[in-house]
């Protein structure tokens, strides 16, 4: 009887240890990562379709309309940072809401300084309230460094491509601005980079603009439907596999 009790106790302890060691993938980003999940979908909502959630937890903290600046300003990053544990992962994908000139107007409240430098600007919101705005790259740099302090492993992704095409029939890339800067920060900080922009753009080009519009973009040129989000989630996992990232081992088998 005592032997059975010892075996049961060991089993419970091993199960408890396994539960405690189950890592979490935290995702931060904008509406292309998490949306209303009605007409428009973000790829983060469909990532569980591709990864084995019996072995890893997925926590999608992305929020529509946010930039690297407002995600921090609203305290959303502080919440994620407080949850990070050693062995967790952090997927970072921003870029769609950063483009305006940073100021205190409705048009500029999400904007950041361009590039990856450490320059900044101080905005005066009145009533003694000020805000220091940094570059897109510096914001990514801060996410990466703070995550690492917690023992988490950050991964930077370039933004998904918009449904915009040039005269040569190719999807417009983000490889001269936000996609480039995301790659540069990943290289500088020595963290993995998934070129989601390029991977999905290549898929779009195989279909052509008319089919892409019909299949994936029910409204504007930025937000996809569920089918489009599925394509982007698949691209994320393919990108992880291409760089032989440890997260790829959690991919569900067909």
């Amino acid at each position: 009887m005592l032997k059975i009790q010892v075996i049961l106790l060991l089993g419970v302890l091993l199960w408890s240890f396994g539960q405690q060691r189950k890592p979490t993938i935290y995702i931060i980003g904008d509406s292309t990562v998490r949306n209303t999940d009605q007409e428009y979908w973000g790829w983060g909502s469909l990532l569980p379709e591709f990864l084995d959630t019996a072995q890893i937890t997925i926590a999608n903290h992305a929020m529509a309309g946010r930039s690297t600046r407002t995600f921090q300003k609203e305290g959303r990053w502080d919440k994620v940072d407080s949850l990070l544990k050693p062995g967790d992962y952090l997927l970072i994908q921003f870029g769609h809401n950063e483009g305006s000139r940073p100021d205190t107007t409705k048009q500029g409240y999400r904007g950041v300084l361009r590039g990856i430098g450490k320059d900044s600007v101080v905005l005066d919101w009145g009533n003694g309230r000020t805000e220091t705005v940094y570059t897109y790259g510096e914001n990514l740099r801060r996410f990466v460094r703070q995550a690492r302090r917690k023992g988490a492993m950050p991964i930077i992704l370039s933004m998904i491509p918009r449904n915009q095409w040039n005269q040569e029939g190719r999807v417009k890339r983000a490889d001269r601005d936000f996609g480039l800067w995301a790659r540069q920060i990943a290289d500088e900080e020595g963290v993995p980079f998934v070129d989601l922009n390029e991977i999905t753009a290549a898929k779009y080009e195989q279909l052509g603009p008319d089919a892409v519009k019909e299949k994936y973009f029910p409204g504007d040129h930025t937000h996809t439907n569920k089918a489009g989000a599925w394509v982007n989630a698949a691209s994320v996992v393919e990108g992880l596999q291409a760089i032989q990232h440890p997260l790829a081992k959690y991919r569900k088998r067909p």
Side-chain angles (χ1 to χ4, degrees), residues 33-50:
V33 184
R34 184 165 75 94
N35 212 310
T36 59
D37 295 353
Q38 295 177 11
E39 183 177 25
Y40 298 119
W41 284 68
W43 60 259
S45 299
L46 290 177
L47 199 58
E49 299 291 322
F50 295 87

Side-chain angles (χ1 to χ4, degrees), residues 43-64:
W43 60 259
S45 299
L46 290 177
L47 199 58
E49 299 291 322
F50 295 87
L51 299 179
D52 184 359
T53 53
Q55 299 185 67
I56 193 162
T57 300
I58 299 174
N60 188 0
H61 286 260
M63 181 57 63

